[in-house]
Amino acid sequence: MGPGPFIAPNGIWPAEHIFFVKDEQKNPASPADITVFTGNNPNNPDQTLSVEQIYFHPTWLQDNQDFVNANDLCLVKLKTAVKNITPVPLYTGTEEPIGSKVWYCGFGDYSKLKGQDSDLYSKKHAIENILDRKATGIITKINGLTYNGGLLAFDFDAPAGNSNTLGDSYIGEDEALLGTGTSSPSPLDLEGTTVQGDSGGPLFIKDNGEWKIAGVLSGGVPEPVKGQKDSSYGDISVFIRVSNSKGWIGEMVK
């Protein structure tokens, strides 16, 4: 299960890897085997929808590196248009405000935690954070065509101010893909991070008073500090940047 924002009445933009067995490039999930739920609680959905077709990014099928190639994206076409939901506008500019507040929402898997029912899907959750990084110029090629990609990222700061992984001196191999920059060690009041099962969820920025999707979650940097546990303080979440992929997205939603 994975989240995905509606960007057209019958179109969803999730992460591509959620339709494949981990580390396997063959045999993606069939549209006939996928069910889309709408609403805040997938255990009691507002609507249940069927999928007509999935459009996978061509270079991801050739070489799956998750966010490394900035191509972990696809588009899901529904058989019928969704009702009573307004599609979210995409941010297609290039001036994402580094250092400003952003919001993320998803349906990450909390079912294994104490006090949770392991037989139920997790409900929608939302967090705020500060946009710390913007990386561009990631190129992939296939069949004579070139595709541009980019990434956005934030870290998860602790109240003690001692987990500022995008502002410390240690930069691992995957973190280096995000480029250089600064990062405040102070968390926001509702600061949080992403968890397993959140992949494909939207990252929102505010543009001229309107919240728009600037990226979709691909994953996290492994061990941004030695021994760091996934989704704990210091976690770094990485998103596929909308503006770099707007050409391919536009072709798919015509």
Side-chain angles (χ1 to χ4, degrees):
M1 179 180 175
F6 284 96
I7 62 172
N10 65 338
I12 306 171
W13 180 24
E16 185 155 1
H17 73 258
I18 65 175
F19 296 102
F20 291 79
V21 175
K22 185 175 176 59
D23 299 325
E24 185 176 314
Q25 286 302 108
K26 298 179 180 179
N27 302 319
S30 167
D33 296 330
I34 299 170
T35 300
V36 173
F37 300 138
T38 69
N40 295 324
N41 183 359
N43 305 291
N44 184 27
D46 296 339
Q47 299 170 69
T48 300
L49 304 166
S50 299
V51 173
E52 179 176 312
Q53 191 170 355
I54 306 173
Y55 300 94
F56 296 109
H57 193 285
T59 65
W60 195 93
L61 291 171
Q62 173 185 251
D63 183 19
N64 166 24
Q65 296 291 329
D66 290 338
F67 65 77
V68 173
N69 286 337
N71 59 359
D72 184 13
L73 67 159
C74 66
L75 288 166
V76 175
K77 182 181 180 182
L78 303 174
K79 288 185 177 180
T80 57
V82 65
K83 298 178 181 178
N84 303 320
I85 295 178
T86 302
V88 183
L90 301 179
Y91 178 77
T92 56
T94 59
E95 302 299 326
E96 295 94 337
I98 297 298
S100 69
K101 181 190 294 187
V102 294
W103 282 92
Y104 168 82
C105 67
F107 292 84
D109 186 9
Y110 293 91
S111 62
K112 304 291 190 298
L113 296 181
K114 184 178 179 179
Q116 302 295 312
D117 188 334
S118 60
D119 294 327
L120 295 179
Y121 296 120
S122 296
K123 299 178 183 179
K124 185 168 70 176
H125 66 134
I127 61 170
E128 64 178 356
N129 210 303
I130 295 294
L131 185 62
D132 292 314
R133 291 289 187 277
K134 174 170 56 178
T136 62
I138 301 174
I139 302 298
T140 52
K141 297 181 180 182
I142 189 171
N143 298 329
L145 299 175
T146 299
Y147 298 88
N148 294 307
L151 303 171
L152 301 172
F154 58 62
D155 61 13
F156 184 25
D157 297 305
N162 59 353
S163 62
N164 189 27
T165 45
L166 283 173
D168 61 17
S169 59
Y170 174 74
I171 302 176
E173 182 179 358
D174 285 343
E175 185 180 340
L177 296 170
L178 304 175
T180 60
T182 60
S183 174
S184 170
S186 301
L188 299 174
D189 290 341
L190 300 177
E191 179 145 335
T193 190
T194 58
V195 300
Q196 185 176 2
D198 266 335
S199 293
L203 179 72
F204 295 94
I205 67 169
K206 203 167 192 177
D207 177 43
N208 292 323
E210 183 178 20
W211 289 97
K212 298 180 180 180
I213 297 176
V216 292
L217 180 68
S218 179
V221 171
E223 282 203 348
V225 292
K226 187 176 180 180
Q228 189 264 349
K229 184 179 179 181
D230 188 37
S231 298
S232 64
Y233 289 130
D235 196 54
I236 299 175
S237 299
V238 184
F239 302 82
I240 305 301
R241 187 174 180 236
V242 169
S243 60
N244 286 108
S245 301
K246 62 184 178 183
W248 183 79
I249 296 170
E251 287 294 319
M252 294 299 102
V253 297
K254 281 182 178 179

